[in-house]
Amino acid sequence: MLFRSLANNEITELAIDGDRNIWTSRFKGSIVSKFDGTSWKNHIENEIPVLLKVKSMIVDNNNVTWAGTYGGGIAKITGNDWEIYTTKDGLISNSVNVCTVDHSDVKWFGTKSGVSCYNDTKWVNYTTDDGLIADDVISIAIDHKNIKWFGTKRGVSSFDGTTWISYTS
C-alpha cells in the first residue's frame, strides 16, 4: 500500500473539482488540503482563520470549491484565492451544516437558522416563515427536476422555486 503525506487522518469531508484535485477537510480540525494527484497542499487555520470548523464542501459548475463552516460562514476557494462570506454579506447564519449546488449553479447552504442560496450575485434566505419545516437544516439534496429537498430533525421540506411542501411522520 502506498502512503503519501496527508495532513490529518480524520477526514470528514471530500470534494473533487473539475481539475481532478481532491479536497479534504476535518470538522473540528484546522486544515483543508488539496491533492493534485502528486502532492498535497495544506491550508491551515493561521493562514485562513475560518478553517477551524469546516463541516461541508462542494465544487460548483465553474470549478470553484466552497467550504461551509460552523461559525465562520462560507469560504469560496478559487485557485489560491480565498473569499469569506458571512451574515454581513447576506448569509442567513455563520453556522453552516451542509452545502450543495443545483443544476443552475446556484449554491445552497443549510444553516442553523434556515437556508441561504447564492447565485454569485444575490443572496436569498428561507426560514420557517417561508415554508421550511424547521430552520436547523442538516441535509440537502437536489433531484433530477432541480427540486431542492431539505432535511431537518422535524421532517423534510421540498422547494421547487415557488412552492414549499413539508413531510413529517
Side-chain angles (χ1 to χ4, degrees):
M1 180 179 281
L2 178 64
F3 289 96
R4 302 197 184 197
S5 59
L6 181 61
N8 189 297
N9 290 333
E10 184 183 339
I11 302 301
T12 56
E13 286 298 318
L14 288 167
I16 301 172
D17 68 23
D19 297 324
R20 298 187 181 130
N21 295 309
I22 310 296
W23 290 85
T24 68
S25 69
R26 174 180 172 253
F27 181 58
K28 295 185 181 175
S30 57
I31 300 170
V32 170
S33 300
K34 179 175 84 171
F35 183 61
D36 65 8
T38 304
S39 62
W40 289 93
K41 166 66 176 156
N42 298 314
H43 301 278
I44 57 176
E45 180 188 356
N46 60 5
E47 291 175 14
I48 304 147
V50 76
L51 294 180
L52 180 58
K53 294 182 180 179
V54 172
K55 284 194 77 172
S56 59
M57 296 180 79
I58 58 167
V59 178
D60 70 17
N61 299 335
N62 294 311
N63 204 29
V64 175
T65 303
W66 297 79
T69 72
Y70 190 80
I74 301 292
K76 176 184 174 184
I77 311 157
T78 309
N80 292 320
D81 297 325
W82 292 70
E83 187 173 351
I84 307 301
Y85 296 94
T86 66
T87 54
K88 293 177 184 175
D89 301 297
L91 185 64
I92 198 165
S93 169
N94 289 332
S95 293
V96 178
N97 294 321
V98 62
C99 51
T100 193
V101 61
D102 72 15
H103 306 312
S104 302
D105 202 40
V106 175
K107 279 60 72 181
W108 292 83
F109 305 100
T111 77
K112 293 281 187 190
S113 302
V115 174
S116 291
C117 65
Y118 183 61
N119 67 2
D120 296 320
T121 304
K122 180 181 173 186
W123 288 93
V124 178
N125 298 313
Y126 300 99
T127 66
T128 54
D129 292 340
D130 301 297
L132 186 63
I133 195 162
D135 286 335
D136 191 3
V137 175
I138 54 179
S139 61
I140 303 175
I142 310 291
D143 72 16
H144 68 285
K145 293 181 180 178
N146 209 28
I147 295 173
K148 290 72 175 167
W149 294 83
F150 304 97
T152 74
K153 292 180 181 176
R154 292 190 48 217
V156 66
S157 295
S158 66
F159 181 60
D160 65 4
T162 304
T163 304
W164 287 90
I165 301 173
S166 293
Y167 305 86
T168 65
S169 58

